[in-house]
């Protein structure tokens, strides 16, 4: 009996020691791993505002993500907010009104859904009627909600949904330049068919799909013909012109795998290009997209398990552990499909478990911040020791500093992605934390005295993939791509935002994937620019001269 008591006592002591170690580990995990400072005037601050939506998560039925979309339903230039419901929970659409978010789901006729989880969402004008449509994915497939002057009608897409596939992510673009919106569907293995959460086995999961629009919003699966045949779990992808040749390329985050970069070879096929993660292993989940260093080339940041999970656990069944990378991954675009992982140089490498991520200039200084969602609802330590979700302000030397506490945007919930939009139209971007199994959080930017300019693009096939260049009087060139899908299972605003610091603007040039251009000369700062609905020459750039 004494021996049993000693064994039990030793076991309890071991458990206590392990709990103490875990507590120390995860309390420290919240701390900034970098010893750097930043001037207070560079730190944007925010005030929380009301939004009545608590996501209901069913871990037995659903994968741990949810849809969130910024969509201008009524063409008034202000984004509405779509939030996907859990397994037995209806979706909601909110409008920003008088300092808070109010539900307008009934007003816009948002269709009711069956007992499925709304996993991902995106928006564009599929039928070219001048109103932005909503597209959502659930366990049973993909549905387009057509927007008819502010009211929605649902129509399910007919395509081959594999028995083991859950459509988890959506990115949109005109892949072959035929004037119609195509869809890349990131597929993940169904919840009840999962085999562990750190399974790096080859061919684990379903194949993701390229669906080409037939011209009538029916779609043909061209995945194999396009050279995109690859079987592995996928969180998300982005269609974007990586090499500035006007063709939309494809970058894909394969969970428990590598990041794949594909070059569009003229609209019919894609060529796989090598990158720093090729033939290596990680957990790339969310993708942030932006030209962080203003060199005219689009860069990418990928979330990962980070420092939270010990590598010997996170690396799972990888035989050669040297091929495993748990850190955040940061692709700096060097041109011609050459990338360098600059996570260490930018001081973003050593943060914690993360999900969706977004690049956005939140203090209007002309440099993009990096905002990253954290906390995993299925990871027991995060039920007690919450990560803050990171709000990283960029300095002039292109390093990033964690300021979420000073900014007032610490997120104690299970975050999936940030969303950013200028809801109150003051010229500074506001912030939404999309959370699962917990309340969604909304913040309004306190603003400042830096200048800005915004460009509103019609959300349709012609504009998707467009590059907007802003040339300032201080000699800066700031570039933004109009894409669908940045973050994670989400979609950002169709209004492109440019912080200017104290500069004015010499010109704004919109470069379409068709090769057309439209330019504004000397536009007035602190305004929103819209492009007239005119036919733009294929060969001669059209200039709209606006005196500032």
């Amino acid at each position: 009996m004494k021996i049993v008591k000693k064994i039990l006592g030793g076991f309890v002591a071991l458990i206590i020691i392990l709990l103490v170690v875990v507590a120390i580990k995860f309390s420290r995990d919240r701390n900034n791993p970098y010893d750097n400072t930043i001037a207070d005037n560079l730190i944007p601050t925010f005030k929380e505002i009301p939004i009545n939506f608590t996501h209901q998560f069913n871990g037995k039925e659903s994968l741990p993500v949810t849809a969130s979309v910024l969509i201008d339903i009524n063409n008034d230039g202000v984004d509405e907010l779509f939030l996907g419901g859990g397994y037995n929970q209806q979706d909601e659409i909110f409008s920003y009104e008088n300092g808070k978010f109010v539900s307008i789901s009934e007003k816009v006729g948002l269709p009711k859904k069956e007992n499925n989880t709304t996993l991902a969402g995106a928006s564009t004008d599929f039928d070219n009627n001048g109103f932005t449509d909503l597209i959502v994915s659930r366990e049973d497939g993909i549905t387009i909600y057509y927007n008819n002057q502010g009211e929605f009608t649902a129509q399910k897409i007919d395509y081959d949904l594999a028995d083991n596939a859950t459509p988890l992510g959506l990115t949109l673009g005109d892949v072959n330049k035929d004037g119609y919106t195509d869809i890349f569907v990131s597929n993940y293995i169904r919840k009840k068919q999962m085999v562990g959460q750190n399974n790096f086995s080859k061919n684990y999961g379903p194949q993701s799909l390229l669906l080409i629009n037939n011209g009538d919003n029916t779609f043909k699966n061209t995945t194999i013909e396009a050279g995109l045949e690859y079987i592995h779990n996928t969180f998300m992808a982005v269609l974007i012109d990586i090499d500035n040749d006007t063709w939309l390329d494809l970058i894909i985050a394969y969970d428990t795998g590598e990041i794949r970069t594909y070059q569009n070879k003229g609209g019919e096929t894609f060529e796989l290009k090598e990158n720093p993660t090729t033939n290596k292993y990680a957990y790339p989940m969310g993708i942030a997209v932006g030209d962080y260093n203003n060199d005219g080339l689009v860069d990418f940041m990928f979330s990962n398990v980070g420092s939270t999970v010990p590598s010997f656990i996170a690396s799972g069944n990888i035989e050669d552990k040297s091929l495993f990378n748990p850190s955040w991954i940061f692709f700096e675009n060097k041109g011609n499909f050459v990338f360098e992982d600059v996570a260490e140089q930018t001081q973003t490498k050593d943060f914690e478990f993360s999900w969706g991520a977004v690049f956005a200039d939140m203090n209007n200084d002309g440099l993009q911040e990096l905002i990253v969602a954290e906390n995993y609802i299925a990871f027991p330590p995060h039920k007690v020791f919450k990560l803050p979700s990171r709000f990283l302000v960029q300095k002039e030397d292109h390093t990033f500093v964690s300021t979420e506490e000073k900014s007032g945007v610490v997120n104690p919930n299970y975050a999936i992605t940030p969303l950013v939009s200028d809801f109150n139209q003051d010229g500074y971007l506001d912030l939404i934390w999309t959370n699962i199994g917990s309340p969604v959080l909304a913040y309004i930017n306190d603003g400042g005295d830096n200048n800005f300019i915004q460009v509103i693009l019609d959300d349709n096939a012609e504009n998707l993939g467009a590059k907007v260049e802003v040339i300032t009087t201080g000699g800066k060139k700031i570039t933004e791509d109009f894409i669908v899908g940045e973050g994670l299972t989400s979609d950002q605003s169709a209004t492109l935002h440019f912080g200017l610091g104290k500069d004015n603007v010499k010109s704004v040039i919109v470069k379409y994937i068709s090769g057309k251009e439209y330019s504004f000369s000397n536009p007035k700062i602190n305004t929103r620019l819209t492009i007239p609905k005119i036919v733009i020459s294929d060969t001669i750039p059209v200039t709209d001269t606006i005196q500032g």
Side-chain angles (χ1 to χ4, degrees):
M1 190 67 178
K2 289 182 179 180
I3 295 176
V4 173
K5 287 183 177 179
K6 285 184 178 181
I7 293 174
L8 289 174
F11 181 73
V12 170
L14 179 61
I15 294 295
I16 291 172
I17 292 170
L18 288 174
L19 287 173
V20 170
V21 170
V22 168
I24 294 172
K25 160 70 174 169
F26 288 102
S27 62
R28 285 180 178 172
D29 220 15
R30 283 194 60 146
N31 297 330
N32 186 349
Y34 298 99
D35 182 18
N36 49 18
T37 58
I38 189 168
D40 287 343
N41 67 320
L42 293 178
I43 302 175
T45 58
F46 299 79
K47 289 185 175 62
E48 187 175 353
I49 62 170
I51 180 168
N52 184 22
F53 188 86
T54 298
H55 181 270
Q56 298 172 17
F57 177 65
N58 185 327
K60 293 182 178 180
E61 302 289 343
S62 308
L63 293 168
V65 294
T66 188
S68 58
V69 177
L70 294 172
I71 174 174
D72 184 2
I73 294 171
N74 55 5
N75 292 340
D76 66 351
V78 181
D79 289 319
E80 279 73 46
L81 171 64
F82 171 85
L83 295 172
Y87 182 72
N88 195 25
Q89 179 187 22
Q90 293 301 321
D91 306 326
E92 291 277 1
I93 292 182
F94 292 88
S95 174
Y96 177 79
E97 299 177 10
N98 300 318
K100 63 182 179 180
F101 283 93
V102 298
S103 176
I104 59 169
S105 302
E106 296 293 333
K107 179 180 178 181
V108 300
L110 183 64
K112 302 293 184 182
K113 69 182 180 75
E114 303 292 333
N115 285 344
N116 287 302
T117 307
T118 305
L119 297 165
S123 64
T124 199
D125 184 1
F126 279 97
D127 55 4
N128 292 317
N129 71 341
F131 287 85
T132 304
D133 308 310
L134 180 67
I135 181 171
V136 297
S137 69
R138 303 187 180 102
E139 290 93 346
D140 64 346
I142 301 172
T143 300
I144 297 176
Y145 290 169
Y146 287 99
N147 182 351
N148 184 17
Q149 300 185 31
E151 293 190 6
F152 290 106
T153 302
Q155 183 174 323
K156 202 165 183 180
I157 292 178
D158 182 17
Y159 79 104
D160 294 328
L161 177 62
D163 292 339
N164 69 335
T166 301
L168 196 65
L170 302 167
T171 185
L172 312 176
D174 186 359
V175 170
N176 53 7
K177 297 189 186 181
D178 65 354
Y180 301 99
T181 301
D182 309 308
I183 307 169
F184 185 83
V185 185
S186 297
N187 280 327
Y188 206 95
I189 196 166
R190 290 186 176 271
K191 173 69 178 180
K192 295 182 179 179
Q193 295 175 253
M194 289 180 65
V195 182
Q197 298 189 59
N198 56 353
N199 189 340
F200 290 86
S201 301
K202 300 291 185 182
N203 298 327
Y204 174 54
Q207 179 174 274
S208 294
L209 304 177
L210 178 63
L211 303 180
I212 295 295
N213 198 321
N214 293 317
D216 57 359
N217 292 324
T218 63
F219 296 85
K220 177 184 178 182
N221 180 1
T222 67
T223 308
I224 296 176
E225 303 96 297
L228 297 172
E229 183 178 13
Y230 181 66
I231 297 175
H232 203 83
N233 280 331
T234 314
F235 264 113
M236 66 169 289
V238 175
L239 283 164
I240 185 169
D241 181 8
I242 292 174
D243 54 356
N244 293 344
D245 67 349
T246 76
W247 291 96
L248 296 184
D249 308 302
L250 187 60
I251 190 160
I252 308 174
Y254 288 107
D255 187 32
T256 62
E258 62 188 16
I259 298 156
R260 287 202 163 192
T261 43
Y262 289 93
Q263 184 179 36
N264 189 332
K265 307 298 288 185
E268 298 294 331
T269 60
F270 289 80
E271 179 184 347
L272 179 62
K273 311 291 283 189
E274 188 172 338
N275 67 60
T277 72
T278 299
N279 296 321
K280 298 178 182 177
Y281 301 91
Y283 292 85
M285 293 172 277
I287 306 177
V289 182
D291 180 9
Y292 88 103
N293 56 358
N294 293 335
D295 66 353
L297 298 170
V298 65
D299 310 299
F300 304 93
M301 177 269 173
F302 304 86
S303 60
N304 206 343
V305 292
S307 60
T308 296
V309 184
S311 286
F312 75 91
I313 297 175
S315 57
N317 59 343
I318 301 172
E319 292 184 6
D320 184 352
K321 303 298 185 183
S322 68
L323 297 177
F324 176 61
N325 178 15
S327 303
W328 290 13
I329 300 167
F330 199 129
F331 279 9
E332 181 178 317
N333 189 343
K334 298 295 187 178
N336 299 315
F337 265 86
V338 175
F339 297 96
E340 178 185 355
D341 186 355
V342 295
E344 185 170 357
Q345 296 93 308
T346 56
Q347 299 192 8
T348 57
K349 178 180 178 180
D350 294 326
F351 285 104
E352 321 88 343
F353 188 104
S354 51
W355 291 102
V358 170
F359 281 121
D361 187 354
M362 307 298 286
N363 58 9
N364 283 358
D365 68 346
L367 296 171
Q368 293 177 322
E369 277 60 68
L370 176 60
I371 313 165
V372 187
E374 295 183 332
N375 292 315
Y376 182 17
I377 197 168
F379 188 53
H382 284 171
K383 297 184 184 301
V384 180
F385 305 105
K386 291 291 198 304
L387 303 173
S389 287
R390 292 298 180 179
F391 189 95
L392 305 177
V393 177
Q394 186 180 175
K395 298 165 66 173
E396 287 189 6
D397 63 358
H398 302 306
T399 61
F400 290 81
V401 179
S402 180
T403 72
E404 57 280 342
E405 291 191 8
K406 290 185 177 180
S407 293
V409 293
V410 170
N411 183 4
N413 300 330
Y414 299 106
I416 293 300
T417 194
L419 300 173
V420 294
S421 181
D422 184 7
F423 292 108
N424 63 350
Q425 305 289 278
D426 68 347
Y428 277 77
L429 293 174
D430 309 307
L431 174 65
I432 303 287
W433 285 122
T434 301
N435 299 322
I436 65 169
S438 51
V440 169
L441 301 178
Y443 299 87
I444 294 296
N445 196 323
D446 290 332
D449 57 4
N450 282 336
N451 296 324
F452 73 94
I453 200 160
Q454 295 174 349
V455 179
I456 303 176
L457 296 177
D458 288 339
D459 200 341
N460 56 33
E462 179 183 18
N463 289 319
L464 291 179
K467 292 181 181 290
V468 180
E469 295 179 354
V470 173
I471 310 298
T472 76
T473 54
K476 291 181 181 178
K477 182 174 78 169
I478 307 171
T479 306
E480 278 277 4
D481 290 76
F482 180 33
I483 60 168
V484 171
E486 183 182 10
L488 180 61
T489 62
S490 61
D491 191 13
Q492 304 293 326
S493 178
T495 298
L496 302 187
H497 178 91
F498 301 84
L500 305 172
K502 304 305 179 185
D503 286 357
N504 289 332
V505 176
K506 292 176 64 176
S507 65
V508 176
I509 304 171
V510 183
K511 298 181 178 181
Y512 301 87
I513 62 170
S514 65
K516 302 174 185 178
E517 292 186 4
Y518 190 88
S519 63
F520 300 85
S521 295
N522 302 313
K524 186 178 180 180
I525 59 171
N526 302 328
T527 60
R528 315 181 88 198
L529 303 180
T530 58
I531 299 172
K533 299 182 186 300
I534 61 174
V535 177
I536 301 173
S537 168
D538 286 318
T539 56
I540 304 174
V542 175
T543 299
D544 181 12
T545 302
I546 303 175
Q547 299 301 323

